[in-house]
Amino acid sequence: MAELDAGQLDRAAGVLLGAACGDALGVPYESTPPQVTRTVVPEMVGGGLGDYAPGEYSDDTQMAVCIAKVAATGVDLRTEEALRAIAANFVEWFPHATNIGISTCLVVRPALGRPDPHVAMRAASAALHAETGRTAGNGSLMRTAIVALAYLDDVAGMAEAARAISELTHFDPLAGDACVLWCAGVRRAVLDGTFDGVREGLALLPEERRGDWARWLTEAEQNPPHHFYRNGYVVRALQAAWSAITRTPVPATDPASPVNGHYRNALIAAIRAGSDTDTVAAIAGALLGARWGVGAIPSQWREAVHGWPGLRADDLIQLALSTARSGAGASSTSSTSSAPQAHASAWWW
């Protein structure tokens, strides 16, 4: 991989941290209708569906960390070895999750104690889809942006890896499509400092679905985030995040500066969409962090953010940079407790 310059490294460092801060900022407002959140000024006060501590991120970032700990070793994430390791990390994380989507819960639980957890998860995901037809949730999109950093020099490999990791838990190809598009956006943002990659990612999708996704992106650009309120569905989650990013003005005063406020203002807009606020803000935060870098993230958020397995901002930055450099530098933490239950108000999607 070509050596990254200082600006690219800063933007790469912003991917996981940007998502985590969006996640923690959205936690207190999850399942709140947009009529309530539309004027709120979000704060990292904790609470939410998992009774989180102030600044604590949720399952969105926790699952991203599970992927990042593998990606940071430099392994090709498309291999069975890597997918097994990611699935094993999901199994390790599962007992510590305080709030988890129903579909993810139903898919990860059968893999507990299995020597081939990735195989068990894929089988459970396929079975769930055959039974319900409802596996196009936002649970893979929320966690997959880190994959882009592992394939900055290989866009086709990135698309394959994003889809393979999505399919561990979400069988519906729309979930994989969304991960491909968002990773394409993150990759381009890190390399070139633009948001152009999301639409460029359309070329990476199966031809028969490109038109639908192009239309859905246009709808997001034309409507406010709260228009996509039922954002447990992956299409609407992506639309809500994309709407918040594209419809939030970049301040005219030195728009190239990472401290221009676009990161903060777009996250506020994402949370004001209501419903799955932590997830939409995590999705948006990853792309915003990739575009503007660590310097765009308010210092009080960087200082407060933390979560499983005992990580803080510097740890998230290191995971992201190790992934971007295809280097090592992450270690896993193991412990056990009782398995979580799916939250009653979680979206079926």
Side-chain angles (χ1 to χ4, degrees), residues 9-61:
L9 286 171
D10 181 59
R11 293 194 294 272
V15 173
L16 195 53
L17 180 60
C21 287
D23 181 359
L25 195 66
V27 153
Y29 312 99
E30 187 174 6
S31 292
T32 304
Q35 293 88 338
V36 175
T37 59
R38 203 169 299 172
T39 59
V40 72
V41 179
E43 298 181 78
M44 287 187 182
V45 295
L49 300 185
D51 194 24
Y52 295 96
E56 184 178 5
Y57 54 71
S58 74
D59 59 317
D60 304 63
T61 307

Side-chain angles (χ1 to χ4, degrees), residues 220-286:
E221 293 158 3
Q222 294 175 342
N223 292 280
H226 66 259
H227 182 80
F228 309 101
Y229 166 63
R230 297 188 66 83
N231 47 48
Y233 175 40
V234 70
V235 174
R236 292 207 160 227
L238 187 147
Q239 286 179 303
W242 187 236
S243 171
I245 291 170
T246 59
R247 292 176 59 84
T248 298
V250 176
T253 55
D254 195 9
S257 170
V259 292
N260 61 40
H262 187 249
Y263 174 89
R264 175 185 180 276
N265 294 340
L267 279 189
I268 291 173
I271 291 166
R272 286 176 174 171
S275 188
D276 204 351
T277 50
D278 57 332
T279 296
V280 172
I283 294 166

Side-chain angles (χ1 to χ4, degrees), residues 311-330:
L311 304 185
R312 302 200 70 92
D314 286 348
D315 304 304
L316 299 172
I317 288 171
Q318 183 57 51
L319 279 171
L321 289 178
S322 294
T323 301
R325 290 167 170 153
S326 292

Side-chain angles (χ1 to χ4, degrees), residues 179-194:
C179 292
V180 170
L181 287 177
W182 215 246
C183 282
V186 168
R187 177 180 176 274
R188 179 61 61 201
V190 168
L191 291 176
D192 297 335
T194 76

Side-chain angles (χ1 to χ4, degrees), residues 193-204:
T194 76
F195 291 120
D196 296 343
V198 174
R199 281 199 173 269
E200 290 175 1
L202 291 169
L204 301 171

